[in-house]
Amino acid sequence: MLMRLIPVFRGVDFFPHDLNLPFMKFKGPALALSIIAMLISIGLCATLGLNYGVDFKGGSLIELKTKSGDADISALRDKLNGLGLGNVQIQQFGAPDDVLVRLEEQPGGETAQQAALKKVTTATAANYTERRVEVVGPAVSSELRMTGFIAVAAGILAIVAYVWFRFEWQFALGAVVALSHDVLVTAGIFSLFRFEFDLSTVAALLTILGYSVNDTVVVSDRIRENLRKFKKMELNELLNLSINETLSRTILTGMTALAVLLALYIFGGEVIRNFNLAMLLGVVIGTYSSIFIAAPLLGYLGVKRDWSDAAAKAVAASSKAKAKA
């Protein structure tokens, strides 16, 4: 009786089961576009560089809140620029009455840095309340920058090793190109638009690697299954079939992640905004690379079916040997 009261919901198919989009038809232009994007990103990072935050550049960060009304950024900038502290960056931080002040590393060491902080506090005491102060020295910032890059590189190498052991070297090469594409293009966008690059951004890049390889492994698994299932199917046709069969999962997973990240980006505040921005870019770029880079590269690398046949023969031989024993 109770079961009759519960409505039956069979779910909704967002993509038809017989979907056959011709992804392989566009693999050449897609790969060319991706290579160009990677080269442009490398050029941007080499020429413009990344807009390092206090974590990586060294200096001081001061969060201020007005005692009444909205912050007057222009007046505050004029006042602080007159203190002779070098490059002072001022921006609105979240609410209209919150301000973030960044001071570059002062010549003279920690004593000079503390004196600069005192000058800012004194100059703003009449209209602003100090809420937070962060100080990062040059040695610490340099170490953080190096360890951040090492973490990203180590993440890529570990993922490539995993894919190589699980599949074949062609799959691993496709994965490393796709992951490098995701990281480089995200970094290029940060460099071009001068978004702040700090420790939270590095954390986002590492998360992007995990998300992207998850998509890549799902598609690779389906390709491997189809290589064993369709012995005589043309490789490009098989790759196209595999991508279409996993497309629903790929797109719906990406849309779910984007919905959460958009909500965090809009309502999460400035503290996690750089992390959310990098994640938003990474999910979109990672979904693209799983479809248009990792799988299509296998068509150019010429994945052989011999390895799957050999594996099947080895399993059969092992089973026969056990039966005889």
Side-chain angles (χ1 to χ4, degrees), residues 228-244:
R228 293 169 177 166
K229 185 177 179 181
F230 304 104
K231 304 290 186 182
K232 298 182 180 180
M233 182 181 288
E234 196 270 329
L235 184 55
N236 280 333
E237 184 181 349
L238 186 145
L239 295 174
N240 204 63
L241 173 66
S242 303
I243 295 173
N244 277 281

Side-chain angles (χ1 to χ4, degrees), residues 38-50 52 183-192 194 197:
M38 291 170 70
L39 292 175
I40 291 174
S41 296
I42 292 172
L44 287 171
C45 292
T47 55
L48 294 179
L50 293 168
Y52 291 122
V183 171
L184 284 174
V185 174
T186 302
I189 292 173
F190 266 71
S191 175
L192 178 62
R194 312 310 296 160
F197 194 92

Side-chain angles (χ1 to χ4, degrees), residues 43-283:
L44 287 171
C45 292
T47 55
L48 294 179
L50 293 168
N51 181 25
Y52 291 122
V54 173
D55 295 335
F56 290 156
K57 190 166 57 177
S60 304
L61 183 149
I62 310 164
E63 183 182 346
L64 302 173
K65 185 178 181 66
T66 60
K67 294 182 178 179
S68 62
D70 295 342
D72 189 342
I73 302 296
S74 179
L76 182 61
R77 182 176 288 110
D78 291 339
K79 179 179 290 187
L80 296 185
N81 282 337
L83 297 179
L85 302 176
N87 183 26
V88 180
Q89 299 178 12
I90 304 170
Q91 68 182 79
Q92 188 174 314
F93 183 76
D97 57 348
D98 286 336
V99 178
L100 204 61
V101 179
R102 290 181 175 86
L103 300 178
E104 64 181 18
E105 184 69 23
Q106 301 294 310
E110 185 177 350
T111 303
Q113 199 70 25
Q114 292 299 327
L117 286 173
K118 187 173 182 180
K119 284 184 179 180
V120 172
T121 302
T122 303
T124 58
N127 301 315
Y128 294 88
T129 302
E130 185 180 291
R131 301 184 66 184
R132 174 169 61 107
V133 177
E134 295 180 10
V135 179
V136 180
V140 174
S141 63
S142 177
E143 183 179 349
L144 287 174
R145 187 166 61 246
M146 180 58 66
T147 53
F149 290 142
I150 291 174
V152 174
I156 292 177
L157 291 176
I159 289 170
V160 169
Y162 163 74
V163 176
W164 194 321
F165 282 118
R166 179 167 177 177
F167 299 101
E168 288 292 313
W169 69 268
Q170 294 96 333
F171 290 90
L173 185 57
V176 72
V177 174
L179 295 175
S180 300
H181 167 271
D182 299 343
V183 171
L184 284 174
V185 174
T186 302
I189 292 173
F190 266 71
S191 175
L192 178 62
F193 294 101
R194 312 310 296 160
F195 297 133
E196 188 175 289
F197 194 92
D198 53 18
L199 279 177
S200 67
T201 313
V202 173
L205 290 179
L206 292 172
T207 309
I208 290 167
L209 293 179
Y211 177 89
S212 183
V213 77
N214 182 49
D215 263 356
T216 302
V217 165
V218 169
V219 177
S220 298
D221 259 331
R222 185 56 58 90
I223 292 171
R224 183 170 61 176
E225 290 173 8
N226 286 337
L227 281 170
R228 293 169 177 166
K229 185 177 179 181
F230 304 104
K231 304 290 186 182
K232 298 182 180 180
M233 182 181 288
E234 196 270 329
L235 184 55
N236 280 333
E237 184 181 349
L238 186 145
L239 295 174
N240 204 63
L241 173 66
S242 303
I243 295 173
N244 277 281
E245 287 178 343
T246 55
L247 185 63
S248 176
R249 181 260 176 209
T250 300
I251 298 298
L252 292 179
T253 301
M255 294 302 293
T256 304
L258 285 175
V260 175
L261 291 169
L262 278 172
L264 285 173
Y265 185 79
I266 296 171
F267 303 109
E270 289 289 336
V271 174
I272 58 173
R273 183 148 293 176
N274 290 332
F275 175 85
N276 285 327
L277 178 59
M279 282 296 300
L280 282 168
L281 293 171
V283 168

